[in-house]
Amino acid sequence: MREDIKSLTLEELEQRLQTLGEPKFRAKQIFKWLHGGTERFADMTNLSNALRERLDETFEITVPKIVRKQVSKLDGTIKYLWQLADGNCVESVLMQYHHGCSICLSSEVGCAMGCKFCASTIGGLVRRLAPSEMLDQILFAEKDSGLTISNVVLMGIGEPLDNFDNVLKFLELLNHPNGRNLGMRHVSLSTCGIVPKILELAERRLQLTLSVSLHSPDDESRSAIMPINKAYPVDELLDACRKYFSLTGRRVSFEYTMIDGVSDHEAQAKLLAEKLGGMAAHVNLIPLNAVTETGLRASTREAIRRFQTILEEHGVTATVRRTLGSDIDASCGQLRRAYEKKEEGAPCGHGA
Ligand code: SAH
């Protein structure tokens, strides 16, 4: 099997080229082509034909195929369904704001975390993405849309901290001055709360924003919707967030999905404010995006406003997330599911 060249760091690429008897500086040239979205070695015009052929025999360049693309008529949000080399599919959502473009990336095919409200986890985890496959979502969304992406959020399909090594390698590639050169402050990583991995990430002292999917401040209701809470309960998770802040100096952001009758009680707002008290935190209230299979409903607008008011009265800053792309099902895992259901036995059907 040919090696996945785009998942290599510049240093690794330099070693590979040295093995092929090539000077080190070639690696930089190739790295630049790859991170610019070049799809074939044949197009790397500053390399000799012989080297291009040699590279093609040794390495593979990943190129995802767009199998579905939906553009919101309301706000220009673009949702891509990509097909990877092995036929599996993942989604990305490209959002346009006045301050630039953000992309929401997938880190895994499917998800093992089992959150009750989420479409991505319904068929379980199929496999983790390679660093190149995360990078490709950026490179090829830019290529297709002609837009420049200035912010990256790891908030699509999958649990990034369940794919820790590949996600960190992807971030290193994304950040590299000879590559996409995107600053860590323009990256957010969202997790359901795998505490040991949050602590490991904190030790790296990266300047990215950690976003924690909290969705409930009490163990009973959180465990009912998020199985991970049974392993790492709320207080342990919040301790890890405090540690994250103390090591990185970065304010932690909390996602809180408003689910009717499950997470929107006034007592939960008070408990949440109490537990976050004194912490450098920000709460993002997200109206649940109804997924047919889950049977859960979004909270009413009044309930959301009341919840926000209680938090603010207790000194916790909270915003209600603006819904982008609501006409194109632009939330986690829904496009992939719809595609799988419609095309049974199709390339990305994995029996989910
Ligand atoms: N696994 C990571 C990242 C992927 S999910 C995590 O759990 O954070 C991205 C965010 O969307 C999470 O906050 C997740 O809880 C939320 N989410 C999933 N399904 C949703 C739905 N149906 N409605 C609203 N938010 C949802």
Side-chain angles (χ1 to χ4, degrees):
M1 220 172 77
R2 292 180 301 163
E3 191 176 19
D4 167 15
I5 191 169
K6 223 184 291 174
S7 286
L8 301 177
T9 61
L10 182 59
E11 293 68 32
E12 288 169 339
L13 194 53
E14 282 170 355
Q15 286 163 2
R16 301 295 189 281
L17 278 143
Q18 268 171 337
T19 316
L20 293 176
E22 290 288 330
K24 232 169 123 176
F25 72 88
R26 291 267 177 249
K28 226 177 237 174
Q29 294 176 315
I30 298 167
F31 194 82
K32 216 166 161 196
W33 284 113
L34 293 170
H35 289 243
T38 300
E39 298 179 20
R40 301 174 319 155
F41 291 108
D43 296 334
M44 302 186 177
T45 47
N46 55 359
L47 309 180
S48 71
N49 280 330
L51 178 59
R52 291 187 231 172
E53 276 167 29
R54 189 95 191 271
L55 291 170
D56 199 35
E57 284 157 17
T58 319
F59 299 105
E60 175 205 13
I61 303 179
T62 51
V63 178
K65 209 167 87 193
I66 299 174
V67 283
R68 285 271 195 290
K69 177 182 168 185
Q70 296 179 333
V71 184
S72 165
K73 292 194 181 70
L74 303 173
D75 50 47
T77 296
I78 308 174
K79 185 156 178 168
Y80 291 100
L81 183 69
W82 310 102
Q83 189 174 75
L84 310 170
D86 66 354
N88 278 304
C89 292
V90 290
E91 293 169 35
S92 325
V93 183
L94 184 57
M95 293 156 287
Q96 301 182 52
Y97 297 98
H98 57 270
H99 58 267
C101 282
S102 265
I103 191 163
C104 177
L105 300 186
S106 295
S107 55
E108 297 181 319
V109 180
C111 183
M113 298 297 125
C115 299
K116 295 285 185 280
F117 44 83
C118 182
S120 302
T121 195
I122 294 172
L125 175 69
V126 180
R127 71 168 174 88
R128 300 178 171 92
L129 293 190
S132 60
E133 293 172 319
M134 290 180 254
L135 191 63
D136 282 343
Q137 296 171 57
I138 301 172
L139 303 181
F140 291 95
E142 283 192 332
K143 220 171 172 182
D144 175 74
S145 66
L147 297 164
T148 303
I149 291 165
S150 48
N151 283 288
V152 170
V153 299
L154 279 158
M155 222 183 246
I157 299 173
E159 167 51 48
L161 296 187
D162 178 56
N163 189 12
F164 194 82
D165 293 343
N166 285 351
V167 164
L168 283 196
K169 197 167 185 197
F170 154 67
L171 293 175
E172 186 185 336
L173 293 172
L174 182 65
N175 191 224
H176 200 283
N178 291 110
R180 201 52 194 66
N181 199 16
L182 195 94
M184 280 298 135
R185 284 173 180 261
H186 298 279
V187 176
S188 295
L189 183 153
S190 182
T191 176
C192 64
I194 305 179
V195 166
K197 294 292 172 190
I198 293 178
L199 297 173
E200 206 176 324
L201 185 68
E203 296 290 346
R204 308 285 176 113
R205 291 177 165 78
L206 300 176
Q207 285 300 294
L208 56 81
T209 300
L210 179 69
S211 201
V212 172
S213 298
L214 196 58
H215 306 327
S216 176
D218 62 277
D219 286 322
E220 198 187 331
S221 63
R222 192 167 192 267
S223 293
I225 51 173
M226 302 181 72
I228 191 76
N229 196 69
K230 292 174 194 152
Y232 309 109
V234 176
D235 289 344
E236 227 176 277
L237 174 57
L238 294 179
D239 278 346
C241 294
R242 286 186 196 93
K243 184 88 189 278
Y244 187 88
F245 176 71
S246 76
L247 285 179
T248 63
R250 303 286 294 163
R251 187 174 77 156
V252 177
S253 164
F254 292 95
E255 316 293 315
Y256 195 102
T257 300
M258 298 296 294
I259 312 175
D260 185 40
V262 175
S263 66
D264 61 356
H265 300 289
E266 289 185 23
Q268 286 171 313
K270 287 180 191 149
L271 185 62
L272 178 61
E274 196 180 297
K275 293 203 171 183
L276 296 184
M279 199 170 162
H282 177 91
V283 178
N284 232 316
L285 299 173
I286 311 159
L288 178 80
N289 226 304
V291 176
T292 333
E293 290 93 331
T294 65
L296 299 167
R297 277 195 322 261
S299 304
T300 61
R301 217 182 278 189
E302 295 70 53
I304 298 176
R305 210 170 304 131
R306 201 162 52 235
F307 203 92
Q308 184 184 19
T309 308
I310 296 172
L311 289 178
E312 287 185 338
E313 280 170 1
H314 288 76
V316 174
T317 51
T319 46
V320 180
R321 176 168 300 168
R322 192 157 68 96
T323 321
L324 287 180
S326 53
D327 57 330
I328 55 165
D329 262 4
S331 85
C332 262
Q334 297 193 14
L335 188 59
R336 173 170 165 263
R337 280 233 25 99
Y339 184 69
E340 282 180 358
K341 269 197 275 185
K342 216 182 282 165
E343 322 222 345
E344 274 172 319
C348 25
H350 56 84

